[in-house]
Each structure stands twice: as C-alpha cells, then as structure tokens.
C-alpha cells in the first residue's frame, strides 16, 4: 500500500512540474512562418550548397549524355571516388587530388569518354582553389592530347570547357549544353 501511495505521489508531482513548465508556449515555440515567399526561399548564407543535389538538378534540367554521379555523400563503392576510380577517370599522369582537402564533391561522368563531364568541389581552405583548378585543367589538357590520335572524336565540349570558382567552390563543366549547365551551377553557388 505504501509503494502505491509513493508512486501516486511521484506521478502527481511529475504532472505538476510538467504543467508548471508548460507555460503559455510563447517562449519555446519557433517563430511563425516567414511573411513572404522570398523570405521562405532565401537560403542561409552560411549553409553550404549540397553539391550532389545540385548535380542531380543539373542532370534533371539540362541535356546531358547518359552517365553517373559520384559524390562524397555516399560510402558505397561505385557512388564515390576511391583512389582507383580517381586514377581511372582522371588519368595516372595528373597528380590525383587528395580528396581530404574537399568538404564535399560531386562529379558527373558520361558512360563514354569524351562526353559530358561536370565536376563540383567545395574546398575546406581557400588555398586549395588554385591547385584544384590546375588539376582540372590538366585533366582537360590530357583528354585533348589523347584525342589527337582519334580525329573522329568530337572534342568541342573539352575545348570549350569552363573551369571557375565561386567562394570555396570550384567547378569544371565540359558539356554540349554548357551554357544551361553553367547557369544552373552559377545560380546555386552565387
């Protein structure tokens, strides 16, 4: 009987303390929804752009050759770039990047060589922007040098490739639909 009384008393005390903490709810509830649509869609300036999502948007809204996305958002082999894949895609002659310098990356490769490629990197430190751009340029240069032996290849997309940076983001676009892809990426990265 005493245990039941003590349990009832503790339950009652717990309910009272919960009721006392409840208050009106004004202090603990989040602020109301933004008052206009522009406020609702404005991204937080400190939040990084999800590069995999950006590349998926590019894939859905632009014309790209059939291919795959590889990104730092996966730990499944075949969805991220391991050392062997880096050397296979980027060539053994170029110094392969140390992917630990990147906060995130997303890469789109067409299934066939000399077709659409898009590479997006977010560097952890601004000092890695120029080395990343140089590495990407080496990739383009190697592809163009290799194509000399195959005059039937259309290398226009690599001859016109764009390698740029925006903040801590570096991107390389070598696509038929270059301007559309570039517009989507530059709008997202600012």
């Amino acid at each position: 009987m005493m245990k039941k009384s003590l349990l009832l008393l503790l339950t009652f005390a717990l309910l009272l303390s919960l009721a006392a903490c409840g208050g009106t709810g004004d202090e603990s509830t989040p602020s109301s929804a933004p008052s206009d649509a522009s406020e609702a869609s404005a991204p937080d300036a400190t939040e990084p752009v999800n590069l995999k999502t950006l590349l998926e948007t590019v894939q859905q809204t632009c014309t790209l050759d059939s291919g795959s996305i590889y990104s730092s958002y996966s730990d499944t082999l075949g969805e991220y770039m391991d050392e062997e894949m880096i050397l296979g895609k980027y060539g053994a002659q170029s110094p392969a990047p140390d992917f630990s310098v990147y906060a995130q990356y997303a890469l789109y490769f067409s299934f066939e060589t000399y077709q659409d490629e898009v590479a997006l990197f977010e560097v952890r430190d601004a000092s890695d922007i120029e080395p990343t751009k140089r590495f990407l340029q080496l990739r383009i240069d190697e592809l163009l040098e290799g194509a000399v032996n195959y005059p039937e290849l259309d290398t226009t997309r690599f001859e016109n490739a764009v390698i740029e940076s925006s903040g801590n983001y570096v991107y390389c676009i070598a696509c038929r639909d270059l301007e559309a892809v570039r517009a989507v990426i530059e709008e997202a990265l600012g």
Side-chain angles (χ1 to χ4, degrees):
M1 178 74 173
M2 183 137 171
K3 287 182 183 179
K4 285 184 181 180
S5 297
L6 184 58
L7 183 59
L8 186 60
L9 185 60
L10 286 174
T11 303
F12 183 71
L14 179 63
L15 288 174
L16 280 177
S17 66
L18 287 174
C21 291
T24 62
D26 289 344
E27 296 124 35
S28 62
T29 58
S31 62
S32 61
S35 58
D36 64 344
S38 65
E39 210 174 312
S41 63
D44 183 357
T46 61
E47 196 163 318
V49 174
N50 181 311
L51 296 181
K52 182 180 182 201
T53 302
L54 174 55
L55 208 44
E56 288 169 343
T57 301
V58 166
Q59 190 177 25
Q60 293 166 3
T61 60
C62 301
T63 303
L64 294 177
D65 295 320
S66 296
S68 292
I69 294 174
Y70 304 91
S71 80
S72 54
Y73 288 95
S74 176
D75 58 3
T76 303
L77 185 60
E79 294 177 9
Y80 72 96
M81 298 290 279
D82 66 357
E83 186 175 347
E84 185 177 323
M85 290 176 74
I86 292 166
L87 294 177
K89 290 291 187 184
Y90 283 110
Q93 294 178 356
S94 295
D98 173 6
F99 272 39
S100 69
V101 304
Y102 302 117
Q104 59 172 326
Y105 66 86
L107 311 164
Y108 180 86
F109 288 102
S110 295
F111 294 132
E112 299 292 327
T113 306
Y114 295 100
Q115 291 189 351
D116 294 336
E117 291 186 16
V118 181
L120 306 171
F121 296 93
E122 180 187 10
V123 296
R124 296 181 193 280
D125 188 279
S127 66
D128 291 311
I129 291 172
E130 290 307 315
T132 299
K133 289 169 81 172
R134 280 192 301 273
F135 168 75
L136 292 169
Q137 187 61 57
L138 278 173
R139 160 88 174 138
I140 299 299
D141 294 345
E142 285 178 7
L143 283 169
L144 291 173
E145 286 173 24
V148 170
N149 299 322
Y150 304 96
E152 71 278 4
L153 288 174
D154 179 11
T155 59
T156 307
R157 65 195 85 199
F158 293 95
E159 292 164 5
N160 298 325
V162 171
I163 300 172
E164 296 290 337
S165 61
S166 176
N168 275 7
Y169 298 100
V170 178
Y171 55 93
C172 177
I173 308 166
C175 296
R176 277 179 299 141
D177 200 7
L178 175 68
E179 291 309 317
V181 172
R182 187 177 190 174
V184 172
I185 290 172
E186 290 180 352
E187 181 180 343
L189 299 181

